[in-house]
Amino acid sequence: MQPHGRIWQELTWSWAYSTGHPASDRRLEAAAKAAWPYALLCAWTYLNDQATAHDLMDHAVQNGSGYIGRHPDCPDKKLSQRVKSVIKRRARQLAAKKSREIQYGSVLDLESLSFGQSDVEQRIYANELFARLSPLAQSIVHWRRLGYSWRKIAEDLDMDHTVVRRAYFREMESLLHALSQPGDSSKCG
């Protein structure tokens, strides 16, 4: 598995080829290329996860494809604005959902504990937490640490990227919730 980078970004422009009409595909591709920096900005600003820009763009291009199908004569500027608007709206929705998902700490905090240059005690705690994860979640943490996108991880697992991401966050939330409860810590193992 190779980390995503410039080549990975170039491959994602095939998103725009979803309408089935060559002229509409070219217009949608141009709108997607124009909106890509905005998707990166929204992914970082709202979600603090640049890899999510690909998911935001997928959602926006799918929406733009439907829009261009319903309004084939819309101006290119309006199509570009629509794609950017959908990106921002989706980023805000995901950010709001993410803020409700984990009430007992951040997954990024757990990942940084596990792989950051912290003191010995924190590394021991991080290793204990890491050991309580399922083998699938452990491999996902490892891949994410290496910089792989959710989409690439899911591709290697022959699964949908949203299913992989949701299952991972659900397991992390469950672990964090179990650890925040007083009493027997063996329940989270």
Side-chain angles (χ1 to χ4, degrees):
M1 186 186 301
Q2 295 186 1
H4 55 84
R6 181 167 170 72
I7 294 171
W8 175 253
Q9 282 181 230
E10 290 170 3
L11 293 176
T12 60
W13 297 128
S14 63
W15 286 322
Y17 298 100
S18 58
T19 64
H21 300 88
S24 296
D25 287 345
R26 284 191 298 277
R27 291 178 61 213
L28 196 54
E29 181 180 11
K33 283 183 179 180
W36 177 244
Y38 190 69
L40 290 169
L41 176 68
C42 286
W44 182 253
T45 302
Y46 293 105
L47 302 165
N48 198 25
D49 181 10
Q50 196 169 1
T52 310
H54 297 279
D55 299 332
L56 294 174
M57 186 60 79
D58 279 343
H59 180 75
V61 169
Q62 182 181 9
N63 183 287
S65 175
Y67 181 78
I68 205 169
R70 293 186 306 275
H71 306 284
D73 296 328
C74 72
D76 291 343
K77 185 176 180 178
K78 189 170 184 177
L79 179 62
S80 292
Q81 289 172 340
R82 169 114 183 164
V83 169
K84 287 180 179 179
S85 173
V86 170
I87 288 170
K88 185 175 183 177
R89 184 173 52 244
R90 183 67 176 164
R92 285 182 170 177
Q93 288 171 346
L94 292 173
K97 183 178 178 184
K98 185 177 178 182
S99 70
R100 289 188 308 265
E101 279 183 355
I102 301 176
Q103 300 172 8
Y104 304 102
S106 167
V107 173
L108 292 174
D109 293 340
L110 181 60
E111 288 177 349
S112 67
L113 273 176
S114 179
F115 301 107
Q117 296 299 322
S118 56
D119 65 12
V120 175
E121 186 178 4
Q122 287 181 333
R123 288 180 156 228
I124 291 169
Y125 293 140
N127 287 335
E128 287 178 17
L129 293 174
F130 187 74
R132 292 182 184 198
L133 294 174
S134 69
L136 176 65
Q138 288 178 359
S139 64
I140 292 172
V141 168
H142 180 69
W143 285 331
R144 293 291 292 166
R145 182 182 137 248
L146 294 174
Y148 297 112
S149 69
W150 291 107
R151 187 170 303 284
K152 183 63 177 162
I153 293 168
E155 181 182 304
D156 284 1
L157 295 172
D158 292 327
M159 299 172 76
D160 182 58
H161 68 282
T162 56
V163 172
V164 171
R165 188 173 53 219
R166 283 184 193 140
Y168 172 74
F169 283 118
R170 202 172 308 126
E171 183 172 343
M172 295 298 276
E173 180 181 358
S174 174
L175 175 63
L176 290 171
H177 180 71
L179 291 172
S180 70
Q181 299 299 313
D184 185 19
S185 64
S186 64
K187 289 188 254 181
C188 50

